[in-house]
Amino acid sequence: MSMTNEDLFRDLLPFVSDKLAKKFSESTGIGVVSKLDIRSVTLGTSLMLKPNKTEERRLKDMEGFFHDKEAFNKADKEKSVYRICYFNFDGLSCAITVMSSGKIGNEYFLTKGHFHRPLEMSEIYIFLSGQGVSILQRKDKEKPVLIAPLTRGTVAYAPPFYAHRTVNIGNDDLCWISIFDTKARLDYEPILKEGFKVLVVEEDGKATYVANKSHI
Ligand code: MN
């Protein structure tokens, strides 16, 4: 069975603006996403047995990562944005993330986003449920930012040198497995300082993207 690039994000079309759907063609065109035909996934409440580490990001842990400071200040800081279980092995590690649906102002819930150190280290994601996008941005600023579609069955790739952030644009949890080099360190500082070039926001009930005016 052959798939067209649009098959990679057909499930997402009801959730996104025409502008964002058009933007997807850059990432699907260079092959950073592909798709498994997963028809259904049922996740229980006890997601993981014996992870090496678990982490929860609440809004209070994410100061400075959302665009609308006023809306952020008004929000309940105890609100959980995402939960991660890590499994570390020699060579490769695996993380399972469950991200809540929500917004700060018009900006959807997001992961902080990071570069890997060394920058050469890449990552693979397999999405199990929900609707989202990945923002991929290189350190050299002239390169265009990519926005990749994420839906159940998406296999996404964060290539070497790209900072990556996941955004939940749906009404349900977004859940994924990621696989990366155990030696990779995660560098959040450039994102906190400079942000990504684009913000993924709700406009007329759909997800779209706008330039981030405060990006340096
Ligand atoms: Mn990563």
Side-chain angles (χ1 to χ4, degrees), residues 23-132:
K23 181 79 179 159
F24 288 155
S25 64
E26 294 169 357
S27 55
T28 56
I30 63 163
V32 297
V33 289
S34 133
K35 206 164 185 304
L36 290 167
D37 185 15
I38 300 178
R39 300 293 166 94
S40 74
V41 173
T42 307
L43 297 171
T45 48
S46 84
L47 191 60
M48 267 305 140
L49 294 172
K50 296 172 79 172
N52 296 99
K53 189 173 99 172
T54 59
E55 217 165 40
E56 178 166 32
R57 300 246 194 265
R58 296 175 187 269
L59 280 176
K60 66 183 177 194
D61 306 313
M62 298 188 69
E63 176 120 43
F65 287 91
F66 288 94
H67 178 67
D68 186 338
K69 308 292 175 231
E70 206 182 306
F72 182 85
N73 289 336
K74 282 192 204 139
D76 172 9
K77 302 297 177 302
E78 295 303 318
K79 171 87 188 150
S80 179
V81 182
Y82 53 106
R83 280 92 41 214
I84 315 172
C85 297
Y86 292 95
F87 297 83
N88 302 320
F89 304 97
D90 286 342
L92 290 174
S93 285
C94 166
I96 302 200
T97 306
V98 178
M99 184 180 201
S100 302
S101 167
K103 284 187 308 237
I104 295 297
N106 63 352
E107 189 175 19
Y108 294 97
F109 275 9
L110 43 78
T111 60
K112 288 183 177 184
H114 55 245
F115 283 96
H116 289 169
R117 302 286 174 192
L119 286 165
E120 287 81 357
M121 287 179 170
S122 54
E123 184 163 358
I124 289 186
Y125 303 80
I126 301 159
F127 284 79
L128 299 178
S129 65
Q131 292 87 27

Side-chain angles (χ1 to χ4, degrees), residues 147-198:
I147 307 179
L150 311 171
T151 178
R152 185 180 63 224
T154 301
V155 181
Y157 175 53
F161 301 101
Y162 278 83
H164 37 281
R165 161 177 284 172
T166 308
V167 184
N168 185 352
I169 63 166
N171 302 316
D172 304 304
D173 285 351
L174 181 64
C175 179
W176 68 93
I177 298 171
S178 56
I179 298 155
F180 51 93
D181 193 309
T182 299
K183 291 192 292 299
R185 287 175 297 109
L186 311 182
D187 187 4
Y188 299 97
E189 275 310 302
I191 307 301
L192 187 58
K193 235 166 70 190
E194 302 173 13
F196 281 84
K197 283 183 196 170
V198 294

